[in-house]
Amino acid sequence: MLCLAPFSVGVEAMLRPVKLFAALLKWPLWPLLKYKVVPEQPVEELALDKSRPLFYVCSTESAADLAAIRRVCAALDLPDPAADVNLNGTEHPRTLFLEKPHTLLFKRGKTTALAQGQALLQAHLQDPALNAQLVPVALLWGRAPGKENSIKWLLGEAHAPNWLAKLLIVLISGRHSLVRFSRAVSLQQMAAQFGAEAATARKLLRMSRFHFYRQRLAATGPKLVNRAQLFNSLLAAPALKKAIDDEAKSKRISVKAARLEARKLLLEIAADYRASTLRVGDRVLRWLWHKLYTGIKVNNADMLRDLAQKGHEIVYVPCHRSHMDYLLLSYVIYQQGLAPPHIAAGINLNFWPAGPIFRRGGAFFIRRSFSGNKLYSAVFREYLCQLFSKGYSIKYYSEGGRSRTGRLLQPKTGMLAMTLQSMLRGIERPVTLVPVYLGYEHVMEVNTYLRELKGSGKQKESVWGVLKAIRNLRDYGYGYVNFGEPVTLNNYLSQQVPDWKQDIHPLEVQKPQWLNPVVAQLAEQMMQRINQAAALNSINLIALCLLATDKHTLTRAELTEQISFYLDLQRTVPYHHQVTLPEDNAEQLIDHALSLQKVQQHNDSFGSLISLSDDNAILLSYYRNNVLHVFMLPAIVASAILHQRNLSLAQLTAIVQQLYPLLQHELFLQLSSVETYCAAILQQLTTSGLAEQHGDSYRAPVQHSKGYFMLSLLAHNAEHTLQRYAMVLQLITSQGPQSRGELEKHSHELAQRLLHLHGITAPEYYDKQLFATLVNALKDNGYTHTDQQSRVSATAQLQQLNDTVSQLLRNEVVQSIHSILPAAAS
């Protein structure tokens, strides 16, 4: 049996000098220490119970570390790490240190952590009512990853430096420190499961050491390789050497000249990652976000930290709304205590001075197309494989460009394919794709997007554009960063291609046949998961409501009630559990939009009217489209109830199921059961008074009632989509077989006519790609086929789909389409 009293006295005596020196360092350290705590509220986010005894475990027995952690704990109202904890009459030091720092002259000794851990476990065995918490606390003085083959003590890279190196570290990096609290370990559970033997305490400490190693690696990233050495190793890689030889033969130049061309391509592509740029960037971006945004709201970031802690290599796959995406996502990741990723940036951003800054912040530049340039493709693929093999996290935009309509674009699969090909080189660690939804209440470039859709040329990025944007800085409301459900590629491939590991080869000799279809399916799934993490906010909710009216105007009471209904709908029948809702109520959301000058309020003797100006009506359609997928199926149900009376649940479900494959392809929808979802939507519409149930049938409330009006507002969210479907379907049925190019051209021309006839302001009517997407979806779902002349022709099912769509639209719109087409045909 352990004798705890003498043990306590001995440990206290050994720790007394450290505690005393830490107390003396309190004030000298004050101006030298500036820290970031992750998570920001550890008590709430880690579910720490202050009523139970709490212990800390730290990496190094350092007075400077103890003084810093004491200051952090005091600010967070956590127990003092230097104090003792009384367990059944015995005093135990609250903090366990895993190792002593290195010394200048003598061999370093061992800490008392083993004896402390064993004593705590023994105390819990003696009293099962005890349930103390052991919280790992990682302190990083600076976030520099260090360089390979560097002098560790001089650069402050050693995790347990001597006192002289520690002094330099505190002076140089103290104001860039990171303090990371992790989930508590139950000492009662450890004792009950493993006992209180020395082997158990050693296991606990060994787990803690590995935990701190992973924490350090996640926060700093792998050590940096000298850029010249990196280039030499890449040029010496067998796959790239073969590509250089092939280039020399095909262009009839010397191998030396081809090698020089490959080096130039590496200079064009490769990042020049520097910790100093990140430190400066962190300060500049913190100022910028305070200038630009009311706040940045981040959701599901704890999942990221868990993945990093488990050793996953993270690949971020965000949607692309704005150039701000590059900065915002990297900043958020850095603030979560993780190393910022290397970013695949378009070559159009490689202009002075932004290009060199982005490159030093981790950006590597990619051309819009690789076609016809085998050497460039080989160089880029080899560079990407090197990033993966070194363990760097990576970020790329699978859409290939910024969305001009607010909807997700159809994904480009090149980067995803290269990611899987890198895995086939034999990467040992798990690689995980993390979808990221980025949302804004104001996108800086939104004014230019509609002009580009109407046909004006895309503006080239330049320093003057940056200066103009800085000059126009103002409060843009909230920004949203929602991390979606991740996909671990190792598990995904094992499910899709059970024997995929047989294709692993260090030289990637041949692309396996399964790669392209698996990549296409994976790309679709990533876009679906981005949309599942959508963020509802004041602007996109108000846009959904006001754009559904003819004059873009509602009374404040009507707008409040419609927003409240949309929020209740998502709480009761959520599109997905990861969709985030605003914390404010409808009235507060309207006030916030007024403060951003997105809407106007006009007061008269009858009350308040909320409206959109003509310019804002066009711009707000962009924000509506960000979340349109969340309300699309409820809008289809509302349209069916509104335009067809007395429909049963089975009939309504059949309508939705008929349209679902087309909507899924366009809006990246994903539901586990369409039938269950439709039934829940109907129940909520009935409960809210927007639909009436008579026996087994559903119908709209009486006209001029509040419920009928609200139902029509909901239904309008599907109208523009259904109108586009009606145009394409009617063109195919009325004009017969035609080439795909002609069909897409005529669809776009017909859309322009409807814009003028019905005053439609939807930017997607200008987007030719949406018509191409619909044509693809019709073919994939058997509504059309290609005849011997490569023309798009209708199948027997097309007319039934055309009838369904027409019955969901207003009569005047259907009549306009029918009246235009004979003239077009003649």
Side-chain angles (χ1 to χ4, degrees):
M1 184 68 64
L2 241 80
C3 185
L4 297 181
F7 158 80
S8 178
V9 173
V11 170
E12 177 61 31
M14 295 181 69
L15 292 178
R16 190 177 296 120
V18 177
K19 293 181 179 180
L20 178 61
F21 197 19
L24 294 174
L25 285 176
K26 178 179 179 180
W27 296 113
L29 196 63
W30 192 270
L32 301 176
L33 176 66
K34 189 173 182 180
Y35 57 84
K36 166 72 179 175
V37 177
V38 176
E40 291 186 358
Q41 302 295 331
V43 175
E44 291 81 6
E45 295 185 48
L46 301 178
L48 299 180
D49 187 349
K50 290 187 177 181
S51 66
R52 292 162 47 197
L54 191 147
F55 292 85
Y56 305 105
V57 57
C58 300
S59 178
T60 308
E61 188 179 297
S62 161
D65 285 15
L66 182 58
I69 295 172
R70 288 188 73 187
R71 177 172 159 186
V72 173
C73 289
L76 295 171
D77 194 26
L78 284 167
D80 183 359
D84 293 334
V85 181
N86 188 299
L87 297 181
N88 294 338
T90 302
E91 297 292 327
H92 296 263
R94 190 182 298 277
T95 306
L96 289 75
F97 298 102
L98 296 181
E99 55 188 324
K100 286 184 176 291
H102 290 83
T103 61
L104 288 173
L105 300 175
F106 305 105
K107 183 179 179 180
R108 60 175 176 167
K110 295 183 177 180
T111 68
T112 60
L114 180 61
Q116 286 177 263
Q118 197 171 357
L120 289 173
L121 292 171
Q122 183 65 44
H124 282 76
L125 279 182
Q126 291 176 352
D127 183 0
L130 286 177
N131 193 9
Q133 308 158 95
L134 183 63
V135 179
V137 184
L139 171 61
L140 278 74
W141 298 90
R143 305 275 294 274
K147 297 181 179 180
E148 292 185 356
N149 306 317
S150 63
I151 304 175
K152 291 185 177 182
W153 74 268
L154 184 62
L155 296 178
E157 295 173 22
H159 60 274
N162 60 58
W163 68 267
L164 180 58
K166 192 56 166 280
L167 176 62
L168 292 175
I169 291 170
V170 172
L171 289 173
I172 295 171
S173 302
R175 295 183 64 80
H176 309 285
S177 299
L178 175 71
V179 182
R180 170 78 185 275
F181 289 84
S182 298
R183 295 194 181 278
V185 175
S186 170
L187 288 170
Q188 180 57 255
Q189 185 177 348
M190 286 288 295
Q193 186 173 357
F194 301 107
E197 303 299 324
T200 302
R202 287 193 184 93
K203 180 178 181 179
L204 182 62
L205 299 183
R206 187 167 58 251
M207 290 168 54
S208 299
R209 289 189 182 95
F210 188 65
H211 173 86
F212 285 124
Y213 164 75
R214 282 275 177 82
Q215 292 279 13
R216 196 161 50 245
L217 186 63
T220 63
K223 292 184 181 298
L224 300 179
V225 185
N226 179 275
R227 206 157 182 255
Q229 292 177 350
L230 173 65
F231 287 3
N232 289 334
S233 66
L234 287 171
L235 293 170
L240 194 50
K241 286 178 70 175
K242 182 179 183 303
I244 290 171
D245 291 340
D246 292 344
E247 180 79 0
K249 291 176 183 178
S250 64
K251 293 190 174 179
R252 298 180 181 179
I253 58 176
S254 66
V255 173
K256 183 178 179 180
R259 182 182 173 89
L260 184 61
E261 179 62 25
R263 182 177 287 274
K264 289 180 180 178
L265 292 175
L266 280 172
L267 285 169
E268 175 190 311
I269 294 168
D272 189 14
Y273 196 92
R274 300 189 185 185
S276 58
T277 302
L278 296 179
R279 288 198 299 268
V280 174
D282 181 46
R283 293 178 179 178
V284 172
L285 290 178
R286 189 181 299 115
W287 167 85
L288 181 63
W289 303 140
H290 284 302
K291 183 82 173 176
L292 277 180
Y293 300 112
T294 307
I296 305 296
K297 298 195 174 185
V298 182
N299 291 284
N300 205 22
D302 55 336
M303 173 271 296
L304 280 186
R305 298 193 290 267
D306 289 343
L307 287 174
Q309 178 61 37
K310 293 174 182 176
H312 288 237
E313 182 154 353
I314 301 176
V315 180
Y316 301 93
V317 187
C319 62
H320 201 3
R321 313 279 193 214
S322 166
H323 283 318
M324 278 294 169
D325 299 345
Y326 296 104
L327 303 175
L328 179 61
L329 183 52
S330 293
Y331 173 81
V332 165
I333 293 168
Y334 191 72
Q335 290 298 307
Q336 295 302 318
L338 301 176
H342 279 59
I343 310 163
I347 194 68
N348 57 307
L349 293 179
N350 191 20
F351 63 90
W352 189 90
I357 295 173
F358 288 160
R359 195 183 294 275
R360 292 178 182 182
F364 58 96
F365 293 97
I366 179 172
R367 294 179 183 177
R368 292 295 181 189
S369 173
F370 293 10
S371 60
N373 195 332
K374 293 183 179 179
L375 182 60
Y376 181 87
S377 178
V379 169
F380 187 87
R381 187 165 58 249
E382 198 66 31
Y383 176 73
L384 192 64
C385 287
Q386 186 74 267
L387 293 180
F388 280 118
S389 66
K390 292 289 184 182
Y392 296 108
S393 60
I394 292 174
K395 176 177 71 177
Y396 51 73
Y397 301 90
S398 61
E399 291 173 280
R402 291 166 293 157
S403 170
R404 266 62 178 172
T405 65
R407 298 162 175 254
L408 292 186
L409 304 177
Q410 292 298 313
K412 306 291 191 297
T413 57
M415 290 296 292
L416 269 178
M418 283 188 275
T419 301
L420 265 65
Q421 287 174 295
S422 297
M423 291 187 64
L424 295 178
R425 294 283 189 93
I427 297 175
E428 295 182 0
R429 71 184 64 83
V431 177
T432 298
L433 303 179
V434 176
V436 189
Y437 176 93
L438 298 171
Y440 304 90
E441 291 184 329
H442 180 86
V443 173
M444 294 179 65
E445 305 98 317
V446 72
N447 290 286
T448 67
Y449 287 165
L450 188 62
R451 291 198 298 271
E452 291 176 12
L453 285 170
K454 287 181 177 180
S456 66
K458 180 178 178 293
Q459 294 184 358
K460 186 177 180 181
E461 286 74 15
S462 67
V463 64
W464 306 114
V466 174
L467 293 175
K468 182 179 179 181
I470 292 174
R471 186 186 64 187
N472 294 331
L473 292 183
R474 59 183 180 86
D475 185 3
Y476 290 149
Y478 286 100
Y480 299 84
V481 181
N482 289 357
F483 296 101
E485 186 177 349
V487 176
T488 300
L489 287 182
N490 310 64
N491 299 336
Y492 182 83
L493 286 177
S494 296
Q495 293 171 359
Q496 303 297 321
V497 190
D499 58 348
W500 70 275
K501 292 185 179 180
Q502 296 178 8
D503 293 313
I504 290 178
H505 193 284
L507 298 184
E508 191 191 332
V509 177
Q510 187 175 1
K511 185 167 69 172
Q513 292 183 349
W514 53 260
L515 185 66
N516 287 345
V518 167
V519 166
Q521 183 179 344
L522 179 61
E524 187 86 6
Q525 188 173 129
M526 292 305 297
M527 305 307 278
Q528 290 169 356
R529 296 194 180 199
I530 289 172
N531 265 350
Q532 287 172 350
L536 300 182
N537 59 52
S538 65
I539 304 305
N540 54 43
L541 285 168
I542 288 174
L544 284 165
C545 300
L546 293 183
L547 292 176
T549 65
D550 291 335
K551 300 297 183 182
H552 305 141
T553 302
L554 287 170
T555 68
R556 181 161 183 143
E558 290 170 338
L559 180 58
T560 300
E561 194 159 13
Q562 192 72 16
I563 292 174
S564 298
F565 164 70
Y566 285 155
L567 293 175
D568 288 342
L569 180 65
Q570 287 306 312
R571 292 189 188 103
T572 308
V573 192
Y575 168 70
H576 193 271
H577 66 89
Q578 287 189 324
V579 173
T580 59
L581 276 61
E583 298 172 358
D584 295 339
N585 60 34
E587 285 283 359
Q588 293 168 323
L589 295 175
I590 295 171
D591 288 338
H592 178 63
L594 286 168
S595 70
L596 297 178
Q597 300 178 356
K598 294 292 186 182
V599 296
Q600 304 167 338
Q601 179 168 294
H602 173 71
N603 300 316
D604 57 26
S605 58
F606 298 99
S608 299
L609 292 173
I610 306 295
S611 62
L612 297 174
S613 66
D614 290 341
D615 290 339
N616 269 347
I618 298 174
L619 299 181
L620 257 67
S621 61
Y622 182 92
Y623 306 106
R624 175 200 60 193
N625 289 346
N626 291 171
V627 295
L628 188 61
H629 63 281
V630 174
F631 295 95
M632 180 54 69
L633 295 187
I636 296 292
V637 172
S639 297
I641 296 173
L642 198 65
H643 296 292
Q644 301 183 49
R645 300 184 63 83
N646 297 322
L647 291 172
S648 67
L649 172 60
Q651 291 171 317
L652 285 165
T653 303
I655 291 171
V656 175
Q657 287 178 328
Q658 188 178 14
L659 293 171
Y660 180 72
L662 304 181
L663 296 168
Q664 183 181 35
H665 192 74
E666 178 180 328
L667 296 172
F668 303 103
L669 303 178
Q670 183 58 48
L671 293 173
S672 56
S673 171
V674 173
E675 185 175 359
T676 302
Y677 185 69
C678 286
I681 291 293
L682 272 174
Q683 179 61 46
Q684 183 62 19
L685 292 180
T686 305
T687 302
S688 303
L690 275 70
E692 296 177 353
Q693 184 174 3
H694 297 270
D696 294 332
S697 298
Y698 296 85
R699 66 186 185 192
V702 296
Q703 287 194 18
H704 310 300
S705 67
K706 181 176 68 175
Y708 185 93
F709 178 66
M710 294 178 68
L711 184 70
S712 65
L713 292 181
L714 173 60
H716 190 277
N717 291 312
E719 185 161 319
H720 293 154
T721 299
L722 293 172
Q723 286 172 2
R724 283 186 294 102
Y725 289 5
M727 288 181 235
V728 175
L729 296 174
Q730 190 62 29
L731 277 168
I732 297 172
T733 55
S734 66
Q735 298 189 349
Q738 55 194 297
S739 71
R740 181 186 173 114
E742 289 176 340
L743 176 59
E744 292 176 11
K745 177 186 175 184
H746 292 157
S747 298
H748 190 253
E749 290 172 348
L750 181 55
Q752 305 308 301
R753 174 66 69 90
L754 285 180
L755 280 172
H756 297 295
L757 283 175
H758 296 280
I760 299 170
T761 57
E764 58 266 28
Y765 267 60
Y766 296 101
D767 189 1
K768 298 178 182 179
Q769 184 58 44
L770 279 179
F771 291 103
T773 299
L774 177 57
V775 173
N776 285 334
L778 290 171
K779 181 180 179 182
D780 292 344
N781 289 280
Y783 292 110
T784 63
H785 66 91
T786 304
D787 64 15
Q788 294 180 349
Q789 287 77 41
S790 299
R791 297 177 302 176
V792 178
S793 302
T795 64
Q797 293 81 15
L798 188 77
Q799 186 57 54
Q800 183 181 359
L801 177 64
N802 190 22
D803 292 341
T804 299
V805 171
S806 297
Q807 290 169 7
L808 298 177
L809 287 170
R810 289 178 292 138
N811 290 332
E812 58 266 30
V813 174
V814 176
Q815 180 59 36
S816 294
I817 295 173
H818 285 213
S819 64
I820 295 170
L821 286 176
S826 62

